[in-house]
Amino acid sequence: NWVDENKNIYIIFSRKEAGEKLNLSDKTITKAFKQLINHNLIREIRQGHSKKNKIFVGKINHSQHESES
């Protein structure tokens, strides 16, 4: 089940798994995660020691002006 009790969509991945799937180094995947978090495109919730984080997909809002460009 990839939806929480509030209907928020998430995935469960370690950064190591994400790097392997995307063929990126640890340094690059860490930088990419930081950028995604800083732009509110994802947020991570820790699940506890030795457990993978839940990665929630951010809500994307766009205005009519953006879609016209």
Side-chain angles (χ1 to χ4, degrees):
N1 190 0
W2 304 105
V3 179
D4 71 5
E5 62 278 355
N6 296 317
K7 308 279 190 221
N8 295 309
I9 298 169
Y10 66 89
I11 58 173
I12 298 177
F13 262 112
S14 68
R15 290 196 180 184
K16 182 178 180 179
E17 286 175 319
E20 289 171 357
K21 294 270 186 198
L22 297 170
N23 199 28
L24 297 172
S25 69
D26 290 340
K27 184 177 178 179
T28 302
I29 202 72
T30 298
K31 183 177 177 180
F33 267 71
K34 285 181 183 179
Q35 290 176 344
L36 291 167
I37 290 167
N38 288 340
H39 290 3
N40 297 316
L41 295 174
I42 64 168
R43 69 182 166 91
E44 289 183 280
I45 304 295
R46 295 185 143 250
Q47 295 299 296
H49 183 67
S50 298
K51 292 186 177 181
K52 300 172 190 173
N53 292 347
K54 283 185 180 178
I55 303 167
F56 287 84
V57 177
K59 297 192 185 334
I60 299 172
N61 297 317
H62 64 88
S63 66
Q64 185 67 23
H65 293 306
E66 290 174 356
S67 61
E68 292 174 356
S69 340

Coordinates of all heavy atoms in Angstrom, one line a residue:
N1 N 0.8 -1.2 0.0 CA 0.0 0.0 0.0 C 0.9 1.2 0.0 O 1.6 1.5 0.9 CB -0.9 0.0 1.2 CG -2.0 1.0 1.2 OD1 -2.1 1.8 0.2 ND2 -2.8 1.0 2.2
W2 N 0.8 2.1 -1.0 CA 1.7 3.2 -1.2 C 0.9 4.5 -0.9 O 1.4 5.6 -1.4 CB 2.3 3.2 -2.6 CG 3.0 1.9 -2.9 CD1 2.5 0.9 -3.6 CD2 4.2 1.5 -2.3 NE1 3.4 -0.1 -3.6 CE2 4.5 0.2 -2.8 CE3 5.1 2.1 -1.5 CZ2 5.6 -0.5 -2.5 CZ3 6.3 1.3 -1.1 CH2 6.5 0.1 -1.7
V3 N -0.1 4.5 -0.2 CA -0.9 5.7 0.2 C -1.1 5.6 1.7 O -1.5 4.6 2.2 CB -2.3 5.7 -0.6 CG1 -3.1 6.9 -0.2 CG2 -2.1 5.6 -2.1
D4 N -0.8 6.7 2.4 CA -1.0 6.7 3.8 C -2.5 7.1 4.2 O -3.3 7.2 3.3 CB 0.0 7.7 4.5 CG -0.3 9.2 4.3 OD1 -1.4 9.5 3.7 OD2 0.5 10.0 4.7
E5 N -2.7 7.1 5.5 CA -4.1 7.4 6.0 C -4.7 8.7 5.6 O -5.9 8.9 5.5 CB -4.1 7.2 7.5 CG -3.3 8.2 8.3 CD -1.8 7.9 8.4 OE1 -1.4 6.8 7.9 OE2 -1.1 8.7 8.9
N6 N -3.8 9.7 5.1 CA -4.3 11.0 4.7 C -4.3 11.1 3.1 O -4.4 12.1 2.6 CB -3.4 12.1 5.2 CG -3.5 12.1 6.7 OD1 -4.6 12.1 7.3 ND2 -2.3 12.3 7.4
K7 N -4.2 9.9 2.5 CA -4.2 9.8 1.0 C -3.0 10.4 0.3 O -3.0 10.8 -0.8 CB -5.5 10.5 0.4 CG -6.8 10.0 1.0 CD -7.2 8.7 0.4 CE -8.6 8.4 0.9 NZ -8.8 7.1 1.3
N8 N -1.9 10.5 1.1 CA -0.6 11.0 0.5 C 0.1 9.8 -0.1 O 0.2 8.8 0.5 CB 0.3 11.7 1.6 CG -0.4 12.9 2.2 OD1 -0.8 13.8 1.4 ND2 -0.5 13.0 3.5
I9 N 0.7 10.0 -1.3 CA 1.4 9.0 -2.0 C 2.8 9.0 -1.6 O 3.5 10.0 -1.5 CB 1.3 9.2 -3.5 CG1 -0.2 9.2 -4.0 CG2 2.1 8.2 -4.3 CD1 -0.4 9.7 -5.4
Y10 N 3.4 7.8 -1.4 CA 4.8 7.7 -1.0 C 5.4 6.4 -1.7 O 4.7 5.5 -2.1 CB 5.0 7.6 0.5 CG 4.4 6.4 1.2 CD1 5.1 5.2 1.3 CD2 3.1 6.4 1.6 CE1 4.6 4.1 1.9 CE2 2.5 5.3 2.2 CZ 3.3 4.1 2.4 OH 2.8 3.0 3.0
I11 N 6.7 6.4 -1.7 CA 7.5 5.2 -2.0 C 8.5 4.9 -0.9 O 8.7 5.8 -0.1 CB 8.2 5.4 -3.4 CG1 9.2 6.6 -3.3 CG2 7.3 5.6 -4.5 CD1 10.1 6.8 -4.5
I12 N 9.0 3.7 -0.9 CA 10.0 3.3 0.1 C 11.2 2.9 -0.6 O 11.2 1.9 -1.4 CB 9.4 2.2 1.1 CG1 8.2 2.7 1.8 CG2 10.5 1.8 2.0 CD1 7.6 1.7 2.7
F13 N 12.3 3.7 -0.4 CA 13.6 3.4 -1.1 C 14.6 3.9 -0.1 O 14.5 4.9 0.5 CB 13.7 4.2 -2.3 CG 13.4 3.5 -3.6 CD1 12.3 3.9 -4.4 CD2 14.2 2.5 -4.1 CE1 12.0 3.3 -5.5 CE2 13.9 1.9 -5.3 CZ 12.8 2.3 -6.0
S14 N 15.7 3.1 -0.1 CA 16.9 3.7 0.6 C 17.6 4.5 -0.5 O 17.4 4.4 -1.7 CB 17.9 2.6 1.0 OG 18.4 1.9 -0.1
R15 N 18.5 5.4 -0.1 CA 19.2 6.2 -1.1 C 20.1 5.3 -1.9 O 20.3 5.6 -3.1 CB 20.0 7.3 -0.4 CG 19.0 8.4 0.2 CD 19.7 9.6 0.5 NE 18.7 10.6 1.0 CZ 19.0 11.8 1.4 NH1 20.2 12.2 1.3 NH2 18.0 12.6 1.8
K16 N 20.6 4.3 -1.2 CA 21.5 3.4 -2.0 C 20.7 2.7 -3.1 O 21.2 2.6 -4.2 CB 22.1 2.3 -1.0 CG 23.0 1.3 -1.6 CD 23.6 0.3 -0.7 CE 24.5 -0.6 -1.4 NZ 25.1 -1.6 -0.5
E17 N 19.5 2.2 -2.8 CA 18.7 1.6 -3.8 C 18.3 2.6 -4.9 O 18.4 2.2 -6.1 CB 17.4 1.1 -3.2 CG 17.5 -0.2 -2.4 CD 16.2 -0.5 -1.8 OE1 15.5 0.4 -1.3 OE2 15.9 -1.7 -1.7
A18 N 18.0 3.8 -4.6 CA 17.7 4.8 -5.6 C 18.9 5.1 -6.5 O 18.8 5.1 -7.7 CB 17.3 6.1 -4.9
G19 N 20.1 5.2 -5.9 CA 21.3 5.3 -6.7 C 21.6 4.2 -7.6 O 22.0 4.4 -8.8
E20 N 21.3 3.0 -7.1 CA 21.5 1.8 -8.0 C 20.6 1.8 -9.2 O 20.9 1.5 -10.3 CB 21.4 0.5 -7.2 CG 22.6 0.3 -6.2 CD 22.4 -0.8 -5.2 OE1 21.3 -1.5 -5.2 OE2 23.3 -1.1 -4.5
K21 N 19.3 2.1 -8.9 CA 18.3 2.0 -9.9 C 18.5 3.1 -11.0 O 18.3 2.9 -12.2 CB 16.9 2.3 -9.3 CG 16.4 1.2 -8.4 CD 15.6 0.2 -9.2 CE 15.0 -0.8 -8.2 NZ 14.6 -2.0 -8.8
L22 N 19.0 4.3 -10.5 CA 19.3 5.4 -11.4 C 20.7 5.4 -11.9 O 21.1 6.3 -12.7 CB 18.9 6.7 -10.7 CG 17.5 6.9 -10.3 CD1 17.3 8.1 -9.4 CD2 16.6 7.0 -11.6
N23 N 21.5 4.5 -11.5 CA 22.9 4.4 -11.9 C 23.7 5.7 -11.5 O 24.4 6.3 -12.3 CB 23.1 4.1 -13.4 CG 24.5 3.6 -13.7 OD1 25.1 3.0 -12.9 ND2 24.9 3.8 -14.9
L24 N 23.5 6.1 -10.3 CA 24.1 7.4 -9.8 C 25.0 7.0 -8.5 O 24.7 6.1 -7.8 CB 23.1 8.4 -9.4 CG 22.2 8.9 -10.5 CD1 21.1 9.8 -10.0 CD2 23.0 9.7 -11.5
S25 N 26.0 7.8 -8.3 CA 26.9 7.6 -7.2 C 26.2 8.1 -5.9 O 25.2 8.8 -6.0 CB 28.2 8.4 -7.3 OG 27.9 9.8 -7.2
D26 N 26.7 7.7 -4.7 CA 26.1 8.1 -3.5 C 26.1 9.6 -3.4 O 25.1 10.2 -2.9 CB 26.9 7.5 -2.3 CG 26.7 6.0 -2.2 OD1 25.7 5.4 -2.7 OD2 27.6 5.4 -1.5
K27 N 27.2 10.2 -3.8 CA 27.3 11.7 -3.7 C 26.3 12.4 -4.6 O 25.6 13.3 -4.1 CB 28.7 12.1 -4.1 CG 29.0 13.6 -4.0 CD 30.4 13.9 -4.4 CE 30.7 15.4 -4.3 NZ 32.1 15.7 -4.6
T28 N 26.1 11.9 -5.8 CA 25.1 12.5 -6.7 C 23.7 12.3 -6.2 O 22.9 13.2 -6.3 CB 25.3 11.9 -8.1 OG1 26.6 12.1 -8.5 CG2 24.3 12.5 -9.1
I29 N 23.4 11.1 -5.7 CA 22.0 10.8 -5.3 C 21.7 11.6 -4.0 O 20.6 12.2 -3.9 CB 21.7 9.3 -5.1 CG1 20.2 9.0 -5.1 CG2 22.3 8.8 -3.8 CD1 19.6 9.1 -6.5
T30 N 22.6 11.8 -3.1 CA 22.4 12.6 -2.0 C 22.2 14.1 -2.4 O 21.3 14.7 -1.8 CB 23.7 12.6 -1.0 OG1 23.8 11.2 -0.6 CG2 23.5 13.5 0.2
K31 N 22.9 14.6 -3.3 CA 22.8 15.9 -3.8 C 21.4 16.1 -4.5 O 20.7 17.1 -4.3 CB 23.9 16.3 -4.8 CG 23.8 17.7 -5.3 CD 25.0 18.0 -6.3 CE 24.9 19.4 -6.9 NZ 26.0 19.7 -7.8
A32 N 21.0 15.1 -5.3 CA 19.7 15.1 -5.9 C 18.5 15.1 -4.9 O 17.6 15.9 -5.1 CB 19.5 13.9 -6.9
F33 N 18.6 14.3 -3.9 CA 17.6 14.3 -2.8 C 17.5 15.6 -2.2 O 16.4 16.1 -1.9 CB 17.9 13.2 -1.8 CG 17.2 11.9 -2.1 CD1 17.6 11.1 -3.2 CD2 16.2 11.4 -1.3 CE1 17.0 9.9 -3.4 CE2 15.6 10.2 -1.6 CZ 16.0 9.4 -2.7
K34 N 18.6 16.2 -1.8 CA 18.6 17.5 -1.2 C 18.0 18.6 -2.0 O 17.2 19.4 -1.6 CB 20.1 18.0 -0.9 CG 20.7 17.3 0.3 CD 22.1 17.8 0.6 CE 22.7 17.0 1.8 NZ 24.0 17.4 2.1
Q35 N 18.2 18.6 -3.3 CA 17.6 19.5 -4.3 C 16.1 19.3 -4.3 O 15.3 20.2 -4.3 CB 18.2 19.4 -5.6 CG 19.6 20.0 -5.7 CD 20.3 19.8 -7.1 OE1 19.8 19.0 -7.9 NE2 21.4 20.5 -7.3
L36 N 15.7 18.0 -4.4 CA 14.2 17.7 -4.5 C 13.5 18.2 -3.2 O 12.4 18.7 -3.2 CB 14.0 16.2 -4.7 CG 14.4 15.7 -6.1 CD1 14.5 14.2 -6.1 CD2 13.5 16.2 -7.2
I37 N 14.2 17.9 -2.1 CA 13.6 18.4 -0.8 C 13.5 19.9 -0.7 O 12.5 20.4 -0.3 CB 14.4 17.8 0.4 CG1 14.2 16.2 0.5 CG2 14.0 18.4 1.7 CD1 15.2 15.5 1.3
N38 N 14.6 20.6 -1.1 CA 14.6 22.0 -1.0 C 13.6 22.7 -1.9 O 13.1 23.8 -1.6 CB 16.0 22.5 -1.4 CG 17.1 22.3 -0.3 OD1 16.7 22.1 0.8 ND2 18.3 22.3 -0.7
H39 N 13.2 22.0 -3.0 CA 12.2 22.5 -3.9 C 10.8 22.0 -3.6 O 9.8 22.1 -4.3 CB 12.5 22.2 -5.3 CG 13.7 23.0 -5.8 ND1 14.4 23.9 -5.1 CD2 14.3 23.1 -7.1 CE1 15.4 24.5 -5.8 NE2 15.3 24.0 -7.0
N40 N 10.7 21.3 -2.4 CA 9.4 20.7 -2.0 C 8.8 19.7 -2.9 O 7.6 19.6 -3.0 CB 8.4 21.8 -1.6 CG 8.9 22.7 -0.5 OD1 9.4 22.2 0.5 ND2 8.7 24.0 -0.6
L41 N 9.6 19.0 -3.7 CA 9.1 18.0 -4.6 C 9.0 16.7 -3.9 O 8.2 15.8 -4.4 CB 10.0 17.9 -5.8 CG 10.0 19.2 -6.7 CD1 11.1 19.1 -7.8 CD2 8.7 19.5 -7.3
I42 N 9.8 16.5 -2.9 CA 9.7 15.3 -2.0 C 9.9 15.7 -0.6 O 10.4 16.7 -0.3 CB 10.6 14.1 -2.4 CG1 12.1 14.6 -2.2 CG2 10.4 13.6 -3.8 CD1 13.1 13.4 -2.2
R43 N 9.4 14.8 0.3 CA 9.8 14.9 1.7 C 10.0 13.5 2.2 O 9.3 12.5 1.8 CB 8.8 15.7 2.5 CG 7.5 15.0 2.8 CD 6.6 16.0 3.6 NE 5.2 15.5 3.5 CZ 4.6 14.7 4.3 NH1 5.3 14.2 5.4 NH2 3.4 14.2 4.2
E44 N 11.0 13.3 3.1 CA 11.3 12.0 3.7 C 10.8 11.9 5.1 O 11.0 12.9 5.9 CB 12.8 11.8 3.6 CG 13.4 11.6 2.3 CD 14.8 11.3 2.3 OE1 15.6 12.2 2.5 OE2 15.2 10.1 2.2
I45 N 10.3 10.8 5.5 CA 9.9 10.5 6.8 C 10.7 9.3 7.3 O 10.6 8.2 6.7 CB 8.4 10.2 7.0 CG1 7.6 11.4 6.4 CG2 8.0 9.9 8.4 CD1 7.7 12.7 7.2
R46 N 11.4 9.4 8.4 CA 12.2 8.3 8.9 C 11.3 7.3 9.5 O 10.3 7.6 10.2 CB 13.2 8.8 9.9 CG 14.2 9.7 9.4 CD 15.3 10.1 10.4 NE 16.6 10.1 9.7 CZ 17.5 9.2 9.9 NH1 17.4 8.3 10.8 NH2 18.6 9.3 9.2
Q47 N 11.6 6.0 9.2 CA 10.8 4.9 9.8 C 11.5 4.2 11.0 O 10.9 3.4 11.6 CB 10.6 3.8 8.7 CG 9.8 4.3 7.5 CD 8.5 4.8 7.9 OE1 7.7 3.9 8.3 NE2 8.2 6.0 7.8
G48 N 12.7 4.6 11.3 CA 13.4 4.0 12.4 C 14.7 3.5 12.0 O 15.0 3.4 10.9
H49 N 15.4 3.0 13.0 CA 16.8 2.5 12.8 C 16.7 1.3 11.9 O 15.9 0.4 12.0 CB 17.4 2.1 14.1 CG 18.8 1.6 14.0 ND1 19.8 2.4 13.6 CD2 19.3 0.4 14.2 CE1 21.0 1.7 13.6 NE2 20.7 0.5 13.9
S50 N 17.6 1.3 10.9 CA 17.7 0.2 9.9 C 16.5 0.0 9.0 O 16.4 -1.0 8.3 CB 18.1 -1.1 10.6 OG 19.3 -1.0 11.3
K51 N 15.6 1.0 9.0 CA 14.4 0.9 8.1 C 14.6 2.0 7.0 O 15.1 3.0 7.3 CB 13.1 1.1 8.9 CG 12.8 0.0 9.8 CD 11.4 0.2 10.4 CE 11.1 -1.0 11.3 NZ 9.7 -0.8 11.9
K52 N 14.0 1.7 5.9 CA 14.0 2.7 4.8 C 13.1 3.8 5.0 O 12.0 3.6 5.7 CB 13.7 2.0 3.5 CG 14.7 0.9 3.1 CD 14.2 0.1 1.9 CE 15.0 -1.2 1.8 NZ 14.5 -2.1 0.8
N53 N 13.4 5.0 4.6 CA 12.5 6.1 4.7 C 11.3 6.1 3.8 O 11.4 5.5 2.7 CB 13.3 7.4 4.4 CG 14.3 7.7 5.4 OD1 14.4 7.1 6.5 ND2 15.2 8.7 5.1
K54 N 10.2 6.6 4.2 CA 9.1 6.9 3.3 C 9.4 8.2 2.6 O 9.8 9.2 3.2 CB 7.8 7.0 4.0 CG 7.2 5.7 4.5 CD 5.8 6.0 5.1 CE 5.2 4.7 5.6 NZ 3.9 4.9 6.3
I55 N 9.3 8.1 1.3 CA 9.5 9.3 0.4 C 8.2 9.8 -0.2 O 7.6 9.0 -1.0 CB 10.5 9.0 -0.7 CG1 11.8 8.5 -0.1 CG2 10.8 10.3 -1.5 CD1 12.8 7.9 -1.1
F56 N 7.7 10.9 0.3 CA 6.4 11.4 -0.1 C 6.6 12.3 -1.3 O 7.5 13.1 -1.4 CB 5.7 12.2 1.0 CG 5.2 11.3 2.1 CD1 6.0 10.8 3.1 CD2 3.9 10.9 2.0 CE1 5.5 10.0 4.1 CE2 3.4 10.0 3.0 CZ 4.2 9.6 4.0
V57 N 5.7 12.1 -2.3 CA 5.7 13.0 -3.5 C 5.1 14.3 -3.2 O 4.0 14.3 -2.6 CB 5.0 12.3 -4.6 CG1 4.9 13.1 -5.9 CG2 5.6 10.9 -5.0
G58 N 5.8 15.4 -3.5 CA 5.2 16.7 -3.2 C 4.1 17.0 -4.1 O 3.9 16.5 -5.2
K59 N 3.2 17.9 -3.7 CA 2.1 18.4 -4.5 C 2.6 19.5 -5.4 O 3.2 20.4 -5.0 CB 1.0 18.9 -3.6 CG 0.4 17.8 -2.7 CD -0.9 18.2 -2.0 CE -1.5 17.3 -1.1 NZ -1.2 15.9 -1.1
I60 N 2.3 19.3 -6.7 CA 2.8 20.3 -7.6 C 1.7 21.2 -8.0 O 0.6 20.8 -8.5 CB 3.4 19.6 -8.9 CG1 4.5 18.7 -8.5 CG2 3.8 20.6 -10.0 CD1 5.0 17.8 -9.6
N61 N 1.9 22.5 -7.8 CA 0.9 23.5 -8.2 C 1.5 24.3 -9.3 O 2.6 24.7 -9.3 CB 0.6 24.4 -7.0 CG 0.0 23.7 -5.8 OD1 -0.8 22.9 -6.0 ND2 0.5 24.0 -4.6
H62 N 0.7 24.6 -10.3 CA 1.1 25.5 -11.4 C -0.1 26.4 -11.7 O -1.2 26.1 -11.6 CB 1.6 24.7 -12.6 CG 0.5 23.9 -13.3 ND1 -0.3 24.4 -14.2 CD2 0.1 22.6 -13.1 CE1 -1.2 23.4 -14.6 NE2 -0.9 22.3 -13.9
S63 N 0.3 27.6 -12.2 CA -0.7 28.6 -12.5 C -1.1 28.5 -14.0 O -0.4 27.8 -14.8 CB -0.2 30.0 -12.2 OG 0.9 30.3 -13.0
Q64 N -2.1 29.2 -14.4 CA -2.5 29.2 -15.8 C -1.4 29.8 -16.6 O -1.2 29.4 -17.7 CB -3.8 30.0 -15.9 CG -4.4 30.0 -17.3 CD -4.9 28.6 -17.7 OE1 -5.2 27.8 -16.9 NE2 -4.9 28.4 -19.0
H65 N -0.7 30.8 -16.1 CA 0.4 31.5 -16.9 C 1.5 30.5 -17.2 O 2.0 30.5 -18.3 CB 1.0 32.6 -16.1 CG 0.0 33.8 -15.9 ND1 -0.6 34.4 -16.9 CD2 -0.4 34.4 -14.8 CE1 -1.4 35.3 -16.5 NE2 -1.3 35.4 -15.1
E66 N 1.8 29.6 -16.3 CA 2.9 28.6 -16.6 C 2.5 27.6 -17.7 O 3.3 27.3 -18.5 CB 3.2 27.8 -15.3 CG 3.9 28.7 -14.3 CD 4.2 27.9 -13.0 OE1 3.7 26.8 -12.9 OE2 4.8 28.5 -12.1
S67 N 1.2 27.2 -17.7 CA 0.8 26.3 -18.7 C 0.6 26.9 -20.1 O 0.6 26.2 -21.1 CB -0.5 25.6 -18.3 OG -1.6 26.5 -18.1
E68 N 0.5 28.2 -20.1 CA 0.4 28.9 -21.4 C 1.7 29.1 -22.1 O 1.8 29.4 -23.3 CB -0.3 30.3 -21.2 CG -1.7 30.1 -20.8 CD -2.4 31.5 -20.5 OE1 -1.6 32.5 -20.5 OE2 -3.6 31.5 -20.2
S69 N 2.9 29.0 -21.4 CA 4.2 29.3 -21.9 C 4.7 28.2 -22.8 O 4.3 27.1 -22.8 CB 5.2 29.5 -20.9 OG 4.8 29.9 -19.7

